[in-house]
């Protein structure tokens, strides 16, 4: 009877160790630290060439500008 209990305990122990190792491999080293990926696509101002996050850029068609002033200057330079 003791042998059967010992085999069940060892089996459960191996099962939990295996599950824990799989969990660590799945998460990877970056997610273990709780880091989030807050990156955003960067775009280049068509007028001055500076880079800024897309959410802060002023867009006109497929072009991006760092400010409305640069958009206005770009449109007046074209005509």
């Amino acid at each position: 009877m003791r042998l059967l209990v010992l085999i069940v305990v060892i089996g459960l122990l191996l099962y939990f160790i295996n599950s824990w190792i799989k969990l660590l491999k799945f998460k990877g080293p970056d997610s273990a630290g709780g880091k989030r990926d807050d990156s955003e696509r960067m775009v280049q101002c068509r007028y001055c060439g500076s880079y800024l996050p897309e959410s802060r850029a002023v867009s006109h068609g497929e072009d991006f500008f760092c400010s409305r002033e640069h958009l206005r200057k770009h449109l007046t330079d074209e005509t």
Side-chain angles (χ1 to χ4, degrees):
M1 182 70 175
R2 286 186 194 176
L3 183 60
L4 182 61
V5 172
L6 184 62
I7 292 173
V8 170
V9 169
I10 290 174
L12 287 173
L13 185 63
L14 290 175
Y15 173 78
F16 287 118
I17 290 173
N18 188 29
S19 298
W20 183 66
I21 290 172
K22 285 182 182 178
L23 183 66
L24 288 178
K25 286 182 181 178
F26 179 74
K27 283 188 174 181
D30 290 339
S31 61
K35 297 179 183 175
R36 290 186 352 195
D37 185 19
D38 291 337
S39 62
E40 185 177 348
R41 187 170 87 111
M42 300 292 284
V43 293
Q44 187 175 16
C45 176
R46 174 87 180 201
Y47 188 77
C48 69
S50 63
Y51 286 90
L52 65 155
E54 186 175 11
S55 63
R56 298 190 63 197
V58 178
S59 63
H60 178 72
E62 294 186 12
D63 296 328
F64 294 97
F65 299 91
C66 62
S67 64
R68 291 184 187 270
E69 180 182 349
H70 280 188
L71 170 60
R72 184 183 53 79
K73 286 181 180 180
H74 176 75
L75 292 176
T76 57
D77 288 348
E78 283 184 348
T79 57

